[in-house]
Amino acid sequence: MALPKANRLKSRKDFQAVFREGIRRHGSYLTLRALKPLCLINPSLEIAAETKQATDSGHLASTKIGISISTKVSKRAVVRNRIKRQITAALYDLLPKLSPGWRLVVVVKPTAAESKCVSPQFLQELEQLLAQAEVFDGHS
């Protein structure tokens, strides 16, 4: 399953902002970079239109997610794409549980390609990292 377009982190500027200002949580296969929505950092801040954090109804924009996987993980694109698809599928299942407005980047570590049974481990580690970063709705 692909992530809905509204939930994809696409621009280089967004990735740079998450890497520069976001919090980090490390696991054995993945690193999570998470940038809180502006209103959670400072509630008195008025949300700028160019950051697109607010929708017309005044609610926070949907959580945007990007996946970063370098050739250090594997030289073979087939392997990298398989890992990326499995992470995307796990994130698709977790999407309803996530608080709105976050910008997330999942960075895949080289140890991920060495692991043969990827899906259950990724899903479990991804959930742990999201919980540590308190990205879940209600911090469950």
Side-chain angles (χ1 to χ4, degrees), residues 81-139:
N81 289 338
R82 181 183 307 125
I83 293 169
K84 194 185 288 192
R85 279 194 308 273
Q86 289 171 335
I87 293 171
T88 304
L91 285 167
Y92 184 82
D93 293 339
L94 294 171
L95 211 51
K97 299 178 189 175
L98 301 179
S99 299
W102 284 82
R103 286 185 280 171
L104 308 172
V105 176
V106 179
V107 182
V108 182
K109 293 183 176 180
T111 53
E114 298 161 11
S115 157
K116 299 296 178 207
C117 178
V118 178
S119 286
Q121 292 170 333
F122 271 4
L123 182 59
Q124 186 178 9
E125 186 169 305
L126 197 54
E127 281 187 66
Q128 287 173 349
L129 293 174
L130 289 167
Q132 287 173 15
E134 298 178 352
V135 178
F136 282 121
D137 232 345
H139 312 302

Side-chain angles (χ1 to χ4, degrees), residues 16-80:
Q16 286 174 334
V18 174
F19 275 92
R20 189 176 53 248
E21 302 162 24
I23 58 173
R24 297 178 196 97
R25 296 294 178 262
H26 301 281
S28 52
Y29 302 111
L30 305 169
T31 298
L32 177 73
R33 300 281 196 123
L35 185 59
K36 284 185 181 182
L38 287 177
C39 70
L40 291 180
I41 297 169
N42 187 352
S44 64
L45 274 179
E46 198 165 312
I47 299 172
E50 70 260 13
T51 59
K52 297 179 184 170
Q53 289 291 323
T55 60
D56 295 337
S57 61
H59 297 293
L60 282 173
S62 55
T63 296
K64 297 200 179 283
I65 303 167
I67 299 171
S68 173
I69 180 165
S70 75
T71 53
K72 288 180 183 177
V73 175
S74 174
K75 298 286 184 211
R76 298 176 57 217
V78 174
V79 174
R80 293 194 309 272

